[in-house]
Each structure stands twice: as structure tokens, then as C-alpha cells.
Amino acid sequence: MGDSITVAGFGFRREARLASLVDALERLEAQHGSVDRLAATQTMWPLVQELGLARGLAVIRVEDEALPSAVTLSHSRHSLRARGTGSVAEAVALLAAGLGAELLGPRLISTDRRATVAVARGALRGESA
């Protein structure tokens, strides 16, 4: 869609590796199609940036403090305790895709269970995709 942007947001455990994120993104794209951007919180930035460089995709940075403001479909007790949101991946995707963004579905979990990813679609805000 020319007037919208799709953003894949990530959440993951400390022991996650690039392969965990690649697996999660491939599962997401098989279900929802390719994405325009990746997104991560400041604390998760380096690994997602590495994936973005490998895939030729820009990465949007989301403030960690903003996570509790997003309404997610998933409700992980661990995420709620640790980050104040039901799903880091879903919150990151929504916040990065902008005001009025919508999740295309609940988060997906990598095969090794170390990473989660969710995709949101939002209005393109005066930038080229």
C-alpha cells in the first residue's frame, strides 16, 4: 500500500542471537508479507540494527519508557512485570508505526523461543518507504 507503512517490532531474551530474529522475521513475513521497517527499543537496538543492515531495512528506535502506553493483543506476565506491557514486540511495532497504527495479528515466537516479532500497519508520514 502506497499510503501506509508496515513495521516489524521485536522483543527478545538476552540470550537471543541474530538467528533467533531472522527466524522470527521469516515466520512473520510468511504469514503477513514483507515489511517496510524494523523497530526496537533502545535497549534492544544493536541486534535489530544488525538484522536491518543484513536485510537493507531501516530500524526505528522506540523509547523503552513508551512501551506501557501501547495496547497489545498478547498479555505475557513476564513482559508485564519486566517492561510494563503485555508484549514488547507488539508495543514496539505499534509505537514505531505511528498514531492510529493497528497490529496485523498477535506476536509470533521464534522456533528457539528467544525472540518475538509483531507487525503493525500505520499511515506513512511524509517519508518514502
Side-chain angles (χ1 to χ4, degrees), residues 4 9 13 17 30 40 46 53 55 67 108 111 119:
S4 67
R13 297 176 180 190
R17 299 292 175 252
L53 290 171
R55 293 290 177 101
L67 294 177
L108 298 175
T111 305
V119 64

Side-chain angles (χ1 to χ4, degrees), residues 57-75:
L57 292 170
V59 181
I60 299 168
R61 192 178 313 225
V62 172
E63 298 295 325
D64 291 86
E65 297 77 25
L67 294 177
S69 70
V71 178
T72 62
L73 299 174
S74 301
H75 301 286

Side-chain angles (χ1 to χ4, degrees), residues 21-22 25 40 59 63 84 88 99 120 129:
L21 274 63
V22 169
L25 183 60
V59 181
E63 298 295 325
V88 172
L99 195 59

